[in-house]
Amino acid sequence: MSDPRLFEAAARWCKDPLTFVQKNYPWGEGELSRFDGPDIWQADVLGCIRDNLSRTVPLKIAVAGGVGPGKSTLASWVIDWAISTCTDTRIVITANTGSQLSSKTLPEVFKWHRMSLFNSWFEAGS
C-alpha cells in the first residue's frame, strides 16, 4: 500500500506542476547535489502551465533551444507530474527521429521517474 501522504501530495499538486517539480525530486542530493530546482526558464514554463490549465482549451507551448538547455528534462517533469497527479492520464511522446526518442528523450523520462517520490506507482522502462 502506498503512503497516504503521497495521495495527499498528488491531490495538492494536480494543478501545480511547478510545485510538483520543486517538491518531488531530491534537489541538493545524490545526482542532483549541484541543483536546487528547475532553471528559471523551466520554472516559467511550469508556472505558465499551472496558470493556464483548462479542461476546454488546449495549452500549446513551444520551447526552442540548442543541445543541453533542459528541454527533455522539462518534458520529463511534465510527464511525471501528469501521470502522478491526474487520473487516467495518457501521454504520447514524440521526437524528430526514432533514434532521438530512444537515445535522448526516453532515458531522460526514465531518469526523472526513478528519482520521483511517486516512482513506486508506475513501472517505467530502463
Side-chain angles (χ1 to χ4, degrees):
M1 178 83 176
S2 283
D3 184 338
R5 293 174 293 187
L6 282 180
F7 290 104
E8 293 165 6
R12 277 194 316 275
W13 301 334
C14 72
K15 294 186 174 160
D16 191 351
L18 177 57
T19 300
F20 174 88
V21 168
Q22 292 169 329
K23 305 275 186 187
N24 182 47
Y25 303 108
W27 300 108
E29 301 173 21
E31 61 185 293
L32 298 179
S33 63
R34 297 184 350 224
F35 305 96
D36 60 3
D39 289 344
I40 292 170
W41 75 268
Q42 292 167 319
D44 289 345
V45 172
L46 294 166
C48 179
I49 294 169
R50 176 200 59 214
D51 297 342
N52 292 283
L53 285 176
S54 168
R55 290 188 172 272
T56 58
V57 179
L59 178 60
K60 298 176 184 180
I61 297 174
V63 176
V67 175
K71 299 179 304 292
S72 293
T73 296
L74 176 64
S76 298
W77 294 338
V78 172
I79 290 165
D80 196 31
W81 162 73
I83 66 169
S84 298
T85 66
C86 304
T87 304
D88 294 329
T89 298
R90 306 287 189 270
I91 297 171
V92 175
I93 303 170
T94 63
N96 287 336
T97 66
S99 174
Q100 181 183 16
L101 184 64
S102 62
S103 68
K104 305 280 190 219
T105 308
L106 290 179
E108 193 73 6
V109 170
F110 299 151
K111 172 182 123 177
W112 288 99
H113 172 73
R114 183 176 32 80
M115 289 190 285
S116 173
L117 292 173
F118 300 90
N119 67 13
S120 65
W121 286 15
F122 310 98
E123 184 175 324
S126 52

